[in-house]
């Protein structure tokens, strides 16, 4: 028999080698055809008396990226279409469809013949669940190896047996952390957690798996034998009474109970561990089908899987421009941001010229890469040879003439128009004509900065986020005269350094900086309203933001916020309206020199990594009112509504033109509550009519900053949704997550 995605060969020892190698795909993924093949392969192995066992391996550099989540999108579409006519039949369709993979893996697990998984490179999601269903696992001894069940990061949880097998193999604490955090394990950590049985050199991986079969692998899992004991002990036991209440408390602290996927995972584990495996898998499937129907899962799958994949693949790239081969990039300014850009560029294999006014500053910028690579070496993620190679790609200098053969030059100097003008002129004097020039500004309009350029068509904004090596989003800003070649270059570069791009049109603060400032501003307005500082911070986190607005203000730097406010006031002149924000920032920055974390004093006092709220906040904003005076839910809504409202305004102004970029950018750029799917998905989730009603309520209570814009008011009349009114171009995300 022939298979679409696998080959099957049996050697003289009776060992079947099943090689997974999908045609026309760079990585194996689990789709419907793979499920059909696996089902048939299990039958073939069992039916062939000559076969004593099987090894499953990959014919690609990596094992598999997991399941193609677009399958679930299709399943959900069918469910919603049928639910109106026959709710019971629709529920059965969803349940059966969403557990098919789980049933195939259980069939493999109980087929009576041993299967060994030979795992190389990436092994994610459903592929990890396949490996766990096998009777033994051998992992490649290579730094590229990584194993994870990351489903919680897209609003789901492992629904093909992962929750049950992990908790029957690993210790309770390690297993639950692995599941709830979607942690990625290297081979040694996977071995320590007992999720793999052996680590072998990559070149001898299949041989090691075959040897393991020859030495004897039990085709019956421990939990299918009488007397099996859970590694973490029974749920109802002294150990269980200590572990599970604490686990629930930690879950609530980390998630604020905002994520149905994480909640369903915990429920599936807790209930499943009290049952035999077949019943436990049914319980897991029920919770999975329930979570799959949640609006949070739908929104997260769409934004953090489908949309993000489409943007990563160049959904916004001008198709008519040929791909750029980027050999060399110049970076102007070797401060923390410029040094970070130099690191990620050199890491991508691109030569870098790192320029600063003084050689010592340029050398310090290069030393940042040295420091990051040294840390990676200590953690086993890099070698000395790789460090030397990366550092050899970075030339630290003061000489602008070294930009002569650069394909792209990125300016990352201070947010000062005059400084930016000077370096632009100096750089362009040395650059070749077809090279592209980009400014890393976070707030200054690109069109106005391009006035210093003699070739504004080749001038573009590329806004990185700090720290550059960790933040995955890059915001590309088009000036009025920016050409397609500049856009293509920017997107090709961002793809090369493996980050996610969004493209916006020019405006003050663009998208991300403008919206994140409304979050910080709302925190300051709450201070002015008399809300206790601790309550503000807690409500920000409860709303789903990664940190409170006062803490974020300190991280961004209060003096930078003051400079932005001052620059805006200067540019707008008489149109600028002063408010509590100006007064608080002036008091903190100008009068008290509290700049934030950068000088260890802002709304918090800092001692190393430790921080405590500054007791002097009431001296600046007045004595707070009792916490009981405020409604927690309303405070949470103020934070989310304000950011979503500002996004709708930006969309109306056509600074944002793609709903995917609004949502992905809000989550990756400033941590907008991921469970909502992003700022526009947050509005769509409740409906524009309800959102506008909430805005009007807040306008009456808290002021005109909550006044809904014209576009929202118009959409609210018919309760239109952004994704229906402004559908993105159809592109398929074919990779898995």
């Amino acid at each position: 028999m022939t298979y679409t995605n696998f080959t099957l060969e049996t050697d003289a020892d009776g060992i079947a080698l099943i090689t997974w190698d999908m045609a026309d795909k760079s990585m194996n993924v689990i789709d419907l055809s793979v499920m059909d093949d696996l089902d048939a392969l299990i039958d073939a192995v069992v039916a062939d008396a000559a076969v004593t066992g099987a090894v499953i391996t990959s014919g690609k550099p990596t094992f598999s990226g997991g399941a193609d989540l677009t399958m679930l999108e299709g399943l959900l579409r069918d469910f919603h279409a049928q639910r109106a006519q026959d709710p019971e039949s629709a529920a059965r369709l969803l349940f059966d469809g969403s557990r098919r993979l789980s049933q195939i893996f259980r069939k493999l697990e109980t087929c009576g013949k041993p299967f060994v998984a030979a795992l190389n490179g990436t092994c994610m999601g459903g592929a990890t669940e396949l490996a766990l269903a096998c009777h033994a696992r051998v992992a490649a001894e290579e730094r590229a190896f990584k194993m994870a069940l990351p489903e919680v990061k897209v609003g789901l949880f492992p629904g093909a047996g992962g929750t049950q097998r992990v908790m029957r193999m690993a210790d309770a604490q390690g297993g639950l952390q692995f599941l709830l955090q979607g942690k990625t394990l290297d081979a040694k950590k996977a071995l320590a957690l007992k999720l793999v049985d052996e680590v072998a050199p990559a070149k001898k991986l299949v041989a090691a798996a075959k040897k393991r079969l020859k030495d004897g692998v039990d085709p019956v899992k421990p939990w299918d034998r009488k007397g099996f004991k859970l590694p973490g002990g029974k749920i109802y036991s002294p150990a269980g009474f200590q572990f599970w209440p604490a686990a629930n408390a930690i879950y609530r602290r980390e998630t604020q109970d905002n994520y149905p996927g994480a909640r369903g995972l915990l429920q599936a584990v807790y209930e499943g561990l009290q049952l035999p495996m077949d019943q436990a898998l049914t319980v897991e499937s029920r919770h999975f089908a329930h979570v799959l129907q949640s609006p949070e899962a739908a929104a997260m799958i769409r934004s953090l899987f489908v949309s993000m994949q489409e943007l990563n693949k160049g959904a916004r790239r001008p198709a008519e421009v040929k791909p750029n081969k980027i050999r060399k990039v110049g970076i102007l300014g070797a401060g923390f941001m410029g040094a970070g850009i130099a690191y990620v560029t050199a890491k991508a294999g691109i030569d870098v010229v790192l320029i600063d006014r003084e050689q010592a500053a340029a050398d310090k910028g290069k030393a940042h890469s040295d420091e990051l690579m040294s840390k990676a070496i200590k953690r086993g993620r890099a070698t000395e040879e790789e460090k030397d190679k990366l550092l050899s790609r970075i030339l630290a200098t003061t000489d602008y003439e070294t930009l002569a053969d650069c394909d792209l030059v990125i300016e990352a100097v201070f947010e000062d128009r005059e400084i930016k003008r000077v370096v632009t002129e100096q750089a362009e004097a040395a650059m070749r004509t077809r090279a592209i020039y980009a400014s890393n500004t976070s707030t200054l309009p690109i069109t106005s900065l391009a006035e210093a350029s003699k070739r504004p068509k080749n001038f573009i904004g590329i806004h990185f986020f700090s720290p550059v090596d960790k933040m995955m989003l890059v915001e590309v800003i088009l000036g009025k005269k920016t050409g397609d070649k500049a856009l293509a270059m920017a997107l090709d570069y961002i793809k090369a350094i493996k980050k996610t791009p969004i493209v916006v049109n020019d405006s003050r603060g663009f998208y991300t900086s403008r919206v994140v400032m409304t979050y910080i501003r709302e925190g300051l307005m709450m201070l002015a309203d008399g809300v206790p500082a601790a309550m503000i911070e807690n409500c920000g986190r409860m709303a789903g933001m990664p940190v409170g607005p006062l803490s974020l203000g300190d991280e961004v730097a209060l003096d930078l916020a003051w400079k932005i406010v001052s620059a805006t006031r200067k540019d707008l002149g008489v149109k600028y309206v002063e408010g509590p924000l100006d007064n608080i920032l002036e008091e903190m920055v100008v009068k008290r020199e509290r700049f934030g974390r950068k000088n260890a004093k802002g709304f918090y006092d800092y001692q190393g990594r430790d921080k405590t709220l500054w007791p002097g906040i009431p001296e600046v904003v007045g004595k707070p009112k009792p916490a009981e005076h405020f409604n927690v839910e309303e405070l949470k809504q103020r934070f989310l509504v304000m950011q979503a409202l500002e996004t709708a305004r930006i969309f109306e102004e056509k600074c944002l033109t793609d709903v995917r970029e609004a949502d992905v950018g809000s989550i990756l750029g400033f941590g907008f509550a991921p469970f909502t799917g992003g700022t526009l998905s947050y509005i769509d989730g409740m409906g524009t009519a309800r959102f506008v009603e909430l805005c009007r309520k807040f306008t009456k209570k808290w002021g005109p900053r909550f006044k809904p814009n014209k576009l929202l008011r118009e959409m609210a009349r018919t309760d239109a949704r952004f994704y229906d009114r402004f559908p993105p171009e159809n592109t398929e995300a074919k990779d898995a997550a």
Side-chain angles (χ1 to χ4, degrees):
M1 180 178 175
T2 57
Y3 304 93
T4 306
N5 308 288
F6 297 84
T7 56
L8 174 62
E9 298 175 355
T10 304
D11 65 15
D13 296 312
I15 295 174
L17 180 64
I18 299 170
T19 304
W20 188 2
D21 195 351
M22 300 180 79
D24 304 321
K25 285 187 183 287
S26 59
M27 182 181 286
N28 294 322
V29 297
I30 298 173
D31 59 16
L32 292 174
S33 68
V34 167
M35 285 194 269
D36 290 339
D37 280 355
L38 282 171
D39 204 4
L41 280 162
I42 297 165
D43 290 338
V45 168
V46 171
D48 192 340
V51 173
T52 57
V55 171
I56 300 179
T57 189
S58 169
K60 297 185 186 295
T62 62
F63 188 71
S64 168
D68 181 353
L69 296 186
T70 54
M71 284 191 306
L72 295 180
E73 277 209 317
L75 194 61
L76 275 172
R77 277 195 299 271
D78 294 342
F79 165 72
H80 289 301
Q82 190 171 341
R83 185 166 61 171
Q85 286 77 34
D86 189 350
E88 189 173 333
S89 176
R92 171 56 61 184
L93 177 76
L94 184 68
F95 178 71
D96 290 343
S98 64
R99 76 180 308 228
R100 187 182 173 213
L101 192 60
S102 178
Q103 290 177 307
I104 292 170
F105 291 167
R106 182 60 173 161
K107 178 180 176 178
L108 181 153
E109 188 172 58
T110 58
C111 73
K113 290 188 179 180
F115 279 71
V116 177
L119 308 171
N120 61 311
T122 298
C123 180
M124 292 282 158
T128 297
E129 292 179 287
L130 168 61
L132 297 178
C134 290
H135 303 91
R137 289 145 298 282
V138 182
E141 190 176 17
E142 57 182 355
R143 209 170 60 250
F145 180 83
K146 50 186 178 181
M147 173 186 256
L149 290 168
E151 287 86 346
V152 289
K153 295 180 179 180
V154 289
L156 299 171
F157 68 84
T163 65
Q164 303 308 308
R165 293 188 180 95
V166 165
M167 297 303 289
R168 285 166 170 78
M169 296 166 72
D171 69 275
Q173 184 173 336
L176 198 58
Q177 282 182 342
F178 174 65
L179 289 167
L180 275 174
Q181 296 174 7
K183 289 175 73 172
T184 298
L185 306 175
D186 59 23
K188 288 182 180 177
K189 287 178 181 175
L191 184 65
L193 204 54
K194 299 182 180 176
L195 298 183
V196 300
D197 303 289
E198 183 183 341
V199 175
K203 291 182 180 178
K204 298 179 180 179
L205 185 63
V206 172
K210 286 187 173 185
K211 182 179 184 301
R212 198 166 189 90
L213 275 175
K214 289 176 190 175
D215 292 344
V217 173
D218 192 343
V220 180
K221 289 288 188 74
W223 43 83
D224 286 325
R225 293 189 177 278
K226 193 174 179 181
F228 171 70
K229 293 182 180 179
L230 293 167
K234 292 182 179 180
I235 299 285
Y236 289 99
S237 67
F241 290 147
Q242 284 187 318
F243 177 77
W244 288 102
N248 185 54
I250 292 169
Y251 150 76
R252 288 185 175 272
R253 182 192 70 195
E254 295 300 315
T255 69
Q256 302 295 329
D257 202 27
N258 284 324
Y259 296 85
R263 187 190 314 132
L265 186 155
L266 198 59
Q267 289 173 313
V269 168
Y270 182 80
E271 294 168 18
L273 291 184
Q274 300 176 61
L275 299 168
M277 179 58 91
D278 286 308
Q279 290 173 281
L281 290 172
T282 301
V283 165
E284 179 192 74
S285 295
R286 285 175 178 164
H287 282 297
F288 184 78
H290 177 71
V291 167
L292 195 55
Q293 298 174 53
S294 69
E296 291 88 350
M300 290 180 75
I301 290 171
R302 181 173 65 189
S303 293
L304 294 175
F305 176 71
V306 179
S307 294
M308 194 155 78
Q309 291 287 350
E310 289 170 352
L311 296 178
N312 286 341
K313 290 176 182 179
R316 295 295 308 278
R317 191 188 187 281
E320 64 280 2
V321 181
K322 291 180 181 178
N324 293 287
K325 190 170 182 182
I326 304 168
R327 297 179 178 84
K328 194 173 187 180
V329 171
I331 297 165
L332 312 178
F336 186 64
M337 185 63 78
I341 299 169
Y343 170 74
V344 298
T345 306
K347 193 178 179 186
I350 300 169
D351 288 337
V352 175
V353 174
L354 183 59
I355 295 179
D356 212 302
R357 286 180 298 181
E358 297 176 1
Q359 188 62 44
D363 291 339
K364 185 180 177 183
K366 182 175 179 176
H368 179 68
S369 290
D370 191 330
E371 184 183 338
L372 289 175
M373 287 300 289
S374 296
K375 284 180 182 176
I377 291 167
K378 284 180 184 177
R379 293 167 184 163
R381 295 175 185 168
T383 63
E384 287 288 349
E385 184 184 353
E386 287 170 333
K387 173 184 167 181
D388 292 342
K389 199 171 181 180
L390 184 145
L391 292 175
S392 71
R393 294 190 189 108
I394 303 174
L395 170 65
T397 181
T398 60
D399 184 7
Y400 276 76
E401 294 303 317
T402 53
L403 299 174
D405 57 346
C406 286
D407 305 294
L408 170 69
V409 173
I410 302 171
E411 166 268 300
V413 300
F414 294 113
E415 286 287 274
D416 183 287
R417 287 181 185 278
E418 182 57 24
I419 295 174
K420 288 181 184 290
R421 182 190 66 77
V422 170
V423 299
T424 300
E425 290 174 352
Q426 284 182 283
E428 285 194 350
M431 290 164 59
R432 54 188 176 190
T433 348
R434 65 179 180 273
I436 303 301
Y437 186 92
S439 174
N440 178 56
T441 180
S442 58
T443 56
L444 298 174
I446 289 298
T447 304
S448 62
L449 293 179
E451 290 172 4
S453 171
K454 291 180 180 177
R455 38 195 175 182
K457 280 188 178 181
N458 287 2
F459 196 106
I460 196 166
I462 300 182
H463 173 211
F464 285 87
F465 296 78
S466 183
V468 178
D469 59 299
K470 292 179 181 175
M471 297 295 284
M472 294 310 299
L473 187 76
V474 181
E475 185 176 33
V476 176
I477 306 104
L478 303 176
K480 285 183 179 176
K481 295 182 180 179
T482 301
D484 281 352
K485 288 182 180 178
L487 175 58
M489 173 66 80
L491 293 177
D492 289 347
Y493 167 68
I494 293 164
K495 185 176 183 179
I497 60 174
K498 296 180 180 177
K499 294 192 182 290
T500 297
I502 62 170
V503 180
V504 301
N505 290 319
D506 203 12
S507 75
R508 176 172 293 282
F510 320 123
Y511 171 43
T512 53
S513 296
R514 183 168 154 185
V515 176
V516 79
M517 286 306 294
T518 67
Y519 175 57
I520 295 170
R521 181 186 69 187
E522 200 57 30
L524 300 188
M525 298 299 277
M526 286 181 184
L527 277 180
D529 293 335
V531 184
M535 191 176 191
I536 293 170
E537 295 292 84
N538 287 335
C539 285
R541 290 191 295 270
M542 288 168 70
M545 299 298 291
V547 294
L550 307 182
S551 180
L552 184 59
D554 278 2
E555 295 293 337
V556 169
L558 299 179
D559 60 330
L560 175 60
W562 174 245
K563 284 178 184 175
I564 292 170
V565 166
S566 301
T568 305
R569 179 194 292 166
K570 183 179 178 182
D571 286 357
L572 295 181
V574 292
K575 293 181 181 178
Y576 184 80
V577 180
E578 287 194 21
L581 176 70
D582 304 77
N583 300 332
I584 292 171
L585 285 175
E586 184 175 12
E587 182 72 27
M588 292 289 287
V589 174
V590 179
K591 297 180 181 178
R592 297 176 184 263
E593 295 186 347
R594 300 189 69 88
F595 303 151
R597 185 181 276 279
K598 67 192 295 183
N599 74 336
K601 53 183 184 177
F603 289 110
Y604 285 82
D605 285 321
Y606 297 86
Q607 287 190 331
R609 292 185 177 181
D610 297 328
K611 64 180 184 181
T612 53
L613 276 167
W614 176 45
I617 291 176
E619 297 172 17
V620 175
V621 298
K623 186 179 177 181
K625 296 173 184 175
E628 296 78 15
H629 186 80
F630 301 96
N631 181 293
V632 169
E633 284 304 312
E634 185 173 87
L635 295 179
K636 287 161 57 178
Q637 285 180 328
R638 278 175 65 177
F639 284 131
L640 299 185
V641 167
M642 175 48 66
Q643 294 176 80
L645 175 57
E646 192 68 16
T647 302
R649 290 168 178 156
I650 294 169
F651 203 87
E652 182 179 36
E653 294 166 13
K654 293 186 169 49
C655 171
L656 270 169
T657 58
D658 192 309
V659 288
R660 296 170 298 187
E661 293 176 318
D663 280 342
V664 172
S666 66
I667 295 172
L668 297 187
F670 48 90
F672 185 83
F675 67 90
T676 66
T679 46
L680 292 186
S681 282
Y682 173 70
I683 298 173
D684 277 3
M686 72 170 72
T688 49
R690 186 180 160 209
F691 183 80
V692 165
E693 184 184 343
L694 200 54
C695 288
R696 285 171 174 157
K697 173 187 167 185
F698 286 176
T699 301
K700 287 180 183 177
K701 193 167 183 180
W702 303 110
R705 66 184 181 278
F706 284 103
K707 184 179 178 181
N709 57 311
K710 183 181 177 182
L711 174 63
L712 274 174
R713 296 196 305 272
E714 180 189 319
M715 291 173 67
R717 292 190 195 109
T718 56
D719 203 20
R721 302 312 200 254
F722 276 93
Y723 275 80
D724 294 331
R725 173 104 177 239
F726 306 100
E729 291 181 19
N730 289 324
T731 53
E732 291 185 19
K734 295 185 185 292
D735 289 337

